[in-house]
């Protein structure tokens, strides 16, 4: 079945270590996104990519990095520069349309990765 | 970009209709209204979307007022599995500008 897969589901790391979260989709979607969610809060956009080999910063990109070498993959690295990395991380994909055009279409989300920094 | 306002929480008895309101008074003429829900510790799930007309699918109905300044998501027969946070979102045409607020926490009870 088509979908979007995140791994690992739970991750514990020591402070100061870099961590990479995996996100893979087989929906043939051009656009992929990373969101962060803190307890009781909405989703905040970290990075997004509208096409392979291109990505843009979202609202809270500091302390994070991404790559988009393949259409189906969009890994997120939480670096030691991220001051408060403990959070729930969500990856999503969509058929992105040009800005100002018709609606974007639905976002398909993964099940999330919960990162705890000790 | 249009913002939305939703009640923080709502309760609904199982088997009853759950009516979740959303205000989006600054919505533009070509912006769609989307609804997602997030069950605890899972990724959000798409429910329904609309522009002007009312919409219905197997999950829910969406009622949009004639002036498009507000909408209501209706779960016709709520079950315990519908307990979740429901997000009302105005789509500005590019997903990178979507804003997920804190949504409405719906608690379905016996």
């Amino acid at each position: 079945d088509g979908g979007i897969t995140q791994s690992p589901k739970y991750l514990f790391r020591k402070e100061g270590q870099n961590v990479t979260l995996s996100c893979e989709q087989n929906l043939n979607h051009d656009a992929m996104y990373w969101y962060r969610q803190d307890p009781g809060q909405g989703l905040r956009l970290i990075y997004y990519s509208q096409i392979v080999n291109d990505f843009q910063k979202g609202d809270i990109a500091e302390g994070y990095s991404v790559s988009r070498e393949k259409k189906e993959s969009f890994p997120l690295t939480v670096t030691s520069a991220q001051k408060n990395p403990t959070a729930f991380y969500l990856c999503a994909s969509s058929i992105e349309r040009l800005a100002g055009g018709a609606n974007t279409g639905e976002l398909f989300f993964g099940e999330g990765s919960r990162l705890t920094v000790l | 970009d249009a913002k939305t306002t939703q009640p923080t929480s709502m309760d609904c008895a199982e088997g009853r209709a759950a009516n979740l309101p959303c205000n989006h008074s600054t919505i533009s003429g070509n912006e769609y209204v989307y609804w997602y829900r997030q069950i605890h510790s899972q990724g959000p799930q798409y429910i329904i979307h609309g522009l002007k007309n009312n919409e219905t699918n197997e999950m829910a109905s969406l009622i949009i007022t004639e002036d498009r300044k507000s909408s209501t998501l209706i779960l016709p027969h709520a079950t315990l599995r519908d307990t979740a946070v429901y997000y009302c979102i105005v789509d500005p045409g590019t997903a990178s500008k979507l804003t997920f607020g804190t949504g409405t926490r719906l608690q379905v009870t016996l």
Side-chain angles (χ1 to χ4, degrees):
Chain A
D1 289 348
I4 185 164
T5 302
Q6 290 186 240
S7 63
K9 191 171 176 66
Y10 298 96
L11 187 59
F12 296 87
R13 279 294 181 268
K14 292 182 179 179
E15 196 171 336
Q17 290 182 328
N18 290 356
V19 168
T20 297
L21 307 180
S22 170
C23 179
E24 303 277 332
Q25 54 99 359
N26 60 3
L27 300 166
N28 200 33
H29 285 168
D30 286 316
M32 297 186 73
Y33 314 84
W34 274 105
Y35 290 91
R36 169 182 172 139
Q37 188 175 35
D38 293 288
Q41 302 298 310
L43 280 62
R44 291 185 289 169
L45 183 64
I46 304 172
Y47 267 99
Y48 65 98
S49 169
Q50 293 173 296
I51 198 167
V52 175
N53 292 321
D54 185 55
F55 49 83
Q56 307 294 329
K57 292 182 179 180
D59 301 321
I60 55 165
E62 185 175 351
Y64 300 97
S65 66
V66 294
S67 63
R68 186 85 187 277
E69 297 176 2
K70 298 185 296 181
K71 186 175 185 178
E72 58 270 22
S73 179
F74 191 42
L76 173 75
T77 297
V78 184
T79 75
S80 57
Q82 169 50 233
K83 291 181 172 52
N84 185 18
T86 294
F88 188 49
Y89 291 88
L90 287 159
C91 180
S93 69
S94 73
I95 299 173
E96 180 77 357
R97 292 182 175 83
L98 293 175
N103 61 310
T104 301
E106 64 182 280
L107 290 176
F108 290 78
F109 284 87
E111 290 301 302
S113 293
R114 189 169 299 279
L115 172 63
T116 302
V117 174
L118 305 172
Chain B
D1 299 331
K3 294 290 188 278
T4 62
T5 303
Q6 299 178 254
T8 303
S9 62
M10 295 182 65
D11 292 331
C12 179
E14 190 175 33
R16 298 290 190 125
N19 297 291
L20 291 89
C22 179
N23 286 322
H24 32 78
S25 58
T26 60
I27 193 170
S28 298
N30 61 348
E31 292 180 325
Y32 283 70
V33 178
Y34 275 74
W35 283 82
Y36 290 81
R37 74 179 182 185
Q38 185 177 25
I39 295 170
H40 183 61
S41 295
Q42 296 183 21
Q45 174 192 23
Y46 165 82
I47 301 173
I48 198 168
H49 73 281
L51 182 63
K52 296 180 182 178
N53 299 323
N54 298 337
E55 302 288 345
T56 296
N57 63 20
E58 65 278 4
M59 290 182 68
S61 294
L62 175 60
I63 309 298
I64 301 174
T65 57
E66 193 169 342
D67 62 8
R68 302 210 326 120
K69 293 185 176 182
S70 65
S71 60
T72 300
L73 178 75
I74 300 173
L75 307 178
H77 305 286
T79 71
L80 296 177
R81 287 178 294 180
D82 292 321
T83 293
V85 176
Y86 288 77
Y87 297 99
C88 168
I89 294 157
V90 171
D91 183 356
T94 176
S96 60
K97 295 190 181 298
L98 289 176
T99 301
F100 285 79
T102 53
T104 296
R105 183 172 298 277
L106 175 68
Q107 181 69 53
V108 180
T109 57
L110 291 171

